């Protein structure tokens, strides 16, 4: 099984990486910041950065491209804005 974890506005974090390591099969993390550990101090800072530098539409596009490059069955797990990105794609063929 292939898992794609779709992060929240905090992006790739050590906690998300630990969660990914505990899942069986192949696991990939999709985040808005190209796997860069951002280390935001608070939610306000993370939200401001996400909305000004990325935005939901770009995040949805990034996720759509990643899913489109997949072969076979993929299970998606989204957190907060990541779940919103998955939901936005739920009525599209990717």
């Amino acid at each position: 099984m292939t898992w794609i974890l779709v992060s929240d506005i905090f992006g790739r974090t050590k906690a998300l990486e630990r969660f990914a390591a505990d899942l069986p099969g192949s696991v990939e993390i999709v985040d808005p910041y190209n796997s860069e550990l951002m280390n935001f101090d608070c939610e306000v800072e993370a939200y401001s950065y996400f909305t000004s530098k990325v935005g939901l539409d770009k995040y949805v596009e990034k996720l759509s491209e990643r899913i489109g490059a997949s072969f076979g069955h993929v299970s998606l797990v989204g957190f907060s804005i990541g779940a919103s990105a998955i939901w936005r794609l739920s009525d599209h063929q990717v």
Side-chain angles (χ1 to χ4, degrees), residues 20-68:
D22 288 340
L23 292 173
S26 174
V27 181
E28 180 180 343
I29 297 172
V30 172
D31 73 276
Y33 316 117
N34 300 315
S35 298
E36 181 180 345
L37 294 174
M38 300 301 288
N39 297 316
F40 295 112
D41 290 327
C42 64
E43 184 176 354
V44 171
E45 181 184 2
Y47 180 79
S48 177
Y49 190 90
F50 177 83
T51 56
S52 68
K53 303 290 185 187
V54 181
L56 182 57
D57 290 338
K58 282 175 134 179
Y59 199 25
V60 168
E61 182 179 326
K62 179 178 186 169
L63 178 58
S64 179
E65 290 172 3
R66 175 55 195 94
I67 294 169

Side-chain angles (χ1 to χ4, degrees), residues 1-4 26 28 64-75 94:
M1 171 179 285
T2 299
W3 298 88
I4 297 178
S26 174
E28 180 180 343
S64 179
E65 290 172 3
R66 175 55 195 94
I67 294 169
S70 298
F71 297 100
H73 179 78
V74 175
S75 294
V94 288

